[in-house]
Amino acid sequence: MTFELNARKLLGMFAPLWLLLGLSLAVNPEPWRTDPWSFAWIAATPLAATGALWLFGRRRWRLELTPEAMIHHTIGRTEVFEWRRMGPIGVHGMPVLDLVTPSTLHFAYEGEGVEGLVGKAIGRRLLTVFGDGGARRLVRHIEDYRRLHAPVQASTI
């Protein structure tokens, strides 16, 4: 089962930038009036980045579920989270930006090396920019898949 990148959710990651731009425009509009191209450039950059990622990286940046693991494909690398090393998955907001950015999938992960120790202590986070439903629906799909396809590999965390 694969969950592809959702452009609408990805665009939501840039909401703090637009909030700051709006605040800047409201508090000090004169610099923006004298140089409207700067405002347009800054405001359009997230749209262009999202469009480019969606057009060229949509198939690369995805979340894939297999009977053995949850695989997080990004533009630069692939992370494999084996079910047997994973704790329960929860939905958490981003620290400080909880109200305006996409939430994250949060889970403990007992991996190898330093990354595994950190993953067990504070957990791992993945942005919920995948699939068409909300974050809680994505977690339900993942947990249902995990129960159906990997029942003997229950978490030890």
Side-chain angles (χ1 to χ4, degrees), residues 27-143:
V27 171
N28 193 11
E30 193 53 39
W32 296 115
R33 282 192 197 122
T34 57
D35 189 13
W37 288 109
S38 291
F39 183 80
W41 175 253
I42 293 169
T45 299
L47 292 170
T50 299
L53 277 171
W54 190 77
L55 284 172
F56 303 113
R58 172 176 52 165
R59 300 255 185 248
R60 294 173 112 182
W61 192 6
R62 66 189 186 280
L63 195 60
E64 181 181 349
L65 306 179
T66 68
E68 295 81 31
M70 178 172 71
I71 304 169
H72 181 226
H73 299 276
T74 65
I75 301 297
R77 70 183 198 170
T78 299
E79 297 173 302
V80 178
F81 301 105
E82 296 175 25
W83 296 124
R84 63 184 173 84
R85 294 181 175 195
M86 254 173 98
I89 301 172
V91 177
H92 295 279
M94 293 291 285
V96 183
L97 301 173
D98 200 15
L99 296 173
V100 293
T101 59
S103 55
T104 61
L105 299 178
H106 185 254
F107 54 92
Y109 186 72
E110 189 178 304
E112 298 172 0
V114 174
E115 192 173 309
L117 291 174
V118 171
K120 186 175 181 180
I122 63 173
R124 298 296 309 261
R125 288 182 180 269
L126 301 177
L127 286 171
T128 57
V129 293
F130 307 104
D132 294 332
R136 298 201 190 293
R137 184 175 168 196
L138 178 63
V139 169
R140 276 196 311 271
H141 283 299
I142 293 170
E143 290 295 353

